[in-house]
Amino acid sequence: MKADPKADAAAVPKSSPKKLIILIAIAVLVLVAGAGAAWYLLQGDAGAAHETEVKPAEPPVYVPLEKFVVNLQPEDGEQYLQIQFTLQVATLEQVEVIKANMPKIQSRVLLLLSAKRASELSTPEGKRQLSSELIKSINEPLVAKGEPQLVSDVLYTSFIIQ
């Protein structure tokens, strides 16, 4: 017994071109929506990164210190240093901490300066070295186990060796 080929063909449903077009259109819409969502999310991240890069930096805060006059370690007779500088700090809170503890800061600076020789301070390199030593000394905690200060720079306004 042979099966009728027409009956077999009738049993298998034919896919209509309309259904195929609809399926392709849905697939394209899903891909476009996914691509749009990915673009939007990536732009949001890039925009946030761009905003942090463009965000203006906080303006520096300065604390001027009074003039210091100290005798230097003797080399060729007596010499003294007259120096005035300004500290650059991170926040206004740091300004208040430094001002409240000015006697301790002044003492540290005087001890550091009076241990120097004129030959150590007369070159630009010596002045930069002194700046880093001043920052280190001033940034040490003012109380035992306390927080360090946040002095980031020493800016000389007067520097005379005689």
Side-chain angles (χ1 to χ4, degrees), residues 86-143:
T86 299
L87 303 176
Q88 181 177 334
V89 296
T91 64
L92 289 173
E93 293 170 352
Q94 285 294 302
V95 172
E96 296 306 316
V97 169
I98 288 173
K99 285 183 178 180
N101 292 283
M102 191 57 73
K104 286 184 181 181
I105 303 263
Q106 288 173 328
S107 177
R108 290 178 183 182
V109 171
L110 285 171
L111 289 172
L112 179 66
L113 294 175
S114 63
K116 297 293 181 185
R117 297 181 188 282
S119 60
E120 296 173 325
L121 303 174
S122 60
T123 65
E125 185 100 356
K127 290 176 180 70
R128 282 190 287 273
Q129 177 66 31
L130 178 62
S131 291
S132 62
E133 290 174 7
L134 285 167
I135 291 169
K136 182 180 176 188
S137 176
I138 295 168
N139 279 342
E140 290 178 13
L142 295 167
V143 294

Side-chain angles (χ1 to χ4, degrees), residues 19-41:
K19 287 183 182 178
L20 185 59
I21 291 173
I22 290 173
L23 287 175
I24 291 173
I26 290 172
V28 167
L29 284 174
V30 168
L31 287 173
V32 168
W39 177 82
Y40 177 77
L41 292 175

Side-chain angles (χ1 to χ4, degrees), residues 50-64:
H50 181 67
E51 287 176 13
T52 57
E53 291 172 11
V54 176
K55 184 179 177 182
E58 293 289 322
V61 183
Y62 299 104
V63 182

